[in-house]
Amino acid sequence: MLTYTPPSLHLHLHLHRYPHSTTISSSLHHHPNHQTTTAPDPVLRIHNSKTTSFLHHRQPATTTTNETKNPPQEYENDHHHHRDSEGKPKTPPHILPPQEKQNILEMSLVTKRGPQFPGSIYANSLPSLQSVIQTQNEDDEDDEEVMIRRALDIRRKVTAEVFKAAMKKGKFGITYSTNLVNRLPDFIDHVMIEAAALKRSPEFKDSTFNLRAKLVIDHSNVVPLIRWLKHNNLSYPKIAKLICMSKGNLDSIRRLVEWLKTVYVKGEFLGATLLKSGDHILHRRLEELDEVVDYLESNGVRRDWIGFVISRCPRLLSYSMEEVKTRVDFYLNMGMNENDFGTMVFDYPGVLGYFTLEEMNQKVNYLKEFGLSTEDVGKLLAFRPQLMGCSIEERWKPLVKYLYYLGISRDGMRRMLTIKPMIFCFNFETTIAPKVQFFRDVGVREDAIGNMLVKFPPLLTYSLHKKIRPVVIYLMTKAGVTEKDIGKVIALGPELLGCNIAKTLEVNVKYFLSLGIRVRQLGEMIGDFPKLLRYKVDLLYPKYQYLRRTMVRPLQDVIEFPRFFSYSLEERIIPRHKIMLENRVNFKLRYMLACTDEEFNQRVADKVERRRRFESGRMDDAVSDSQMAEGTLGKTASSSLSS
């Protein structure tokens, strides 16, 4: 309440009404060592009954009466016409400075007087607002409009103080009340207008403005509403904005908040949902909102998802039923079923409410330029609806140009888009270009980068500093991959960069080293077959055991042909090994496994034929040798007989 008035104002008014009042020493200037009762600068004040009686007891009554009834003639003359030593007229004493005039205006509007105590300084009577304005009318440069605006500002201050008093009564702190009231200019004006309108009622014709303002505030139940909104996790800036949005209809706030709770909007999102739903959301009927919710639920958006969807896309509440149906049909016409549509809206609620229909059509048509059909685009948006939030000019066109520069064709871009559509949501300058440059730095050839990205598009979604770089460092320091081969390893096996170091790479490296393979040899094996480190040890162990114990092959065979671990033990290794045993043939692992069944059978047949020929050739040589031996013996015998 604006009840305090500076003492200087009261003293000034007192001097005007009682120019020769008796002066005494104020206790503020009294010192215990001084015996005199007169201070150098006496404080003029109107005393209470006790001090007045004491003053009358110490001074003769005649002196006081004469001085009061007969003021000096000099004062009366100067009161009408003051002149200084040079003869120039002085400012009349009743002309107040602007600041004191402002204080009088405030005092005239503040009807409740502050508490007084014995010895306090207070003017028994103040000049009325009308008399002050009339006396200042001749020399005052402010026009009537300025005075009205000033009076309105004062009224606003008074209304704000009344509101703060109501907040204090409602157990709110001073700081909270002040911060909140400072953000409620519209509601303060509403209270001020309503309080002024109450004066027309005969019941409040003679009531003060403060009383009428208090009645308006109490009748609006704004203080309990603030307490309730604060209990629902709304900060005071949001509360203030909501109250101003209501335009005096505070019941609409509570009504809408209760409705939002019925559709599972959580408390921390209530304020943001209300503020972002539009200026007219407080004036919509709840039946219209229920109709929108029921329609979304009938198209695959589950009831317990509605609160999440609305809190992430409050603009949905501002759309009419016809607008909502048009937006839903836009996606359903692309071949989406209810399940796809519901999950799409849940994953990215903004896909349904943040963009105009024209923008949505433009983005769908642009995606079709990659060779996708309408149904393909529908599946793509159902899987990654964030694509609808990307700008064509700022996001997609620069990325397409950059991928084309890397040598990726439209078909390759379509593959990247369908396998990992999130790539088209990235800013290529900050996300993709640094990774491509890193691949160049580690030795990946320029013509291999594009093929590598098309082969494994998720590579571009990995973090360069948290995923890609640490894996490269581990391969070169712990797995034996040389600097010369690291580029080839990444180009041939980009999937390796997505493996977890502790759970996959380190476990595999330790297993291979436990077999007796040296680090340098392991690096060569990885360079020849990068996929080697991606297998689980549980799958590697049975193959190695079969190789060593059943096939009786040396470890060097695995070092020379690490792809052995990529073939199925039951479907390829064991069947072909049995065929080799049955035909008594033997191949190196490379020729045994790295071929089709037809090629393998042909190799086995050729091997058997060569062996048969070899064996038949030895038999022919043995027969001829025996025949030659018999002929020699016959000749020897005949010669001996003839002799």
Side-chain angles (χ1 to χ4, degrees), residues 364-557:
V364 169
N365 293 332
Y366 188 87
L367 293 176
K368 290 180 180 180
E369 294 181 2
F370 290 98
L372 299 174
S373 62
T374 303
E375 290 73 16
D376 293 335
V377 175
K379 295 178 181 178
L380 189 63
L381 293 178
F383 175 69
R384 186 58 64 184
Q386 290 81 0
L387 285 170
M388 195 59 71
C390 300
S391 172
I392 296 178
E393 298 294 334
E394 298 179 2
R395 187 62 51 87
W396 287 350
K397 287 186 176 181
L399 175 61
V400 169
K401 184 177 180 180
Y402 182 76
L403 295 178
Y404 181 78
Y405 168 75
L406 294 176
I408 301 176
S409 62
R410 191 186 71 164
D411 294 338
M413 295 180 192
R414 182 176 67 250
R415 171 181 166 79
M416 296 175 65
L417 180 61
T418 54
I419 293 179
K420 207 65 179 178
M422 182 56 71
I423 295 175
F424 282 74
C425 298
F426 292 154
N427 185 340
F428 84 93
E429 293 181 351
T430 59
T431 306
I432 298 178
K435 297 173 186 176
V436 172
Q437 185 59 42
F438 176 78
F439 297 144
R440 293 193 184 104
D441 295 339
V442 297
V444 180
R445 295 186 306 178
E446 188 73 26
D447 57 348
I449 292 178
N451 296 331
M452 179 180 66
L453 298 180
V454 174
K455 177 183 178 182
F456 188 63
L459 179 63
L460 293 177
T461 64
Y462 298 149
S463 172
L464 176 60
H465 300 285
K466 296 181 180 180
K467 191 71 174 178
I468 298 176
R469 191 188 298 271
V471 171
V472 172
I473 294 175
Y474 181 83
L475 293 175
M476 297 180 67
T477 57
K478 302 295 183 181
V481 180
T482 62
E483 183 178 354
K484 177 182 178 182
D485 293 337
I486 189 64
K488 182 178 71 172
V489 170
I490 296 176
L492 295 178
E495 301 89 351
L496 199 62
L497 299 179
C499 295
N500 185 280
I501 295 178
K503 297 180 179 180
T504 303
L505 299 182
E506 189 173 1
V507 174
N508 285 8
V509 169
K510 288 182 178 180
Y511 174 74
F512 287 115
L513 295 180
S514 68
L515 300 180
I517 301 174
R518 298 178 181 179
V519 176
R520 179 183 58 80
Q521 293 175 329
L522 180 59
E524 294 176 355
M525 294 171 64
I526 297 172
D528 184 27
F529 185 57
K531 195 177 180 180
L532 181 66
L533 296 182
R534 295 178 53 211
Y535 296 112
K536 294 182 179 180
V537 176
D538 296 340
L539 298 177
L540 298 176
Y541 180 76
K543 298 176 183 179
Y544 180 75
Q545 289 293 100
Y546 187 83
L547 176 74
R548 297 284 285 166
R549 295 182 180 181
T550 305
M551 298 177 66
V552 195
R553 294 292 186 106
L555 180 63
Q556 186 63 30
D557 286 3

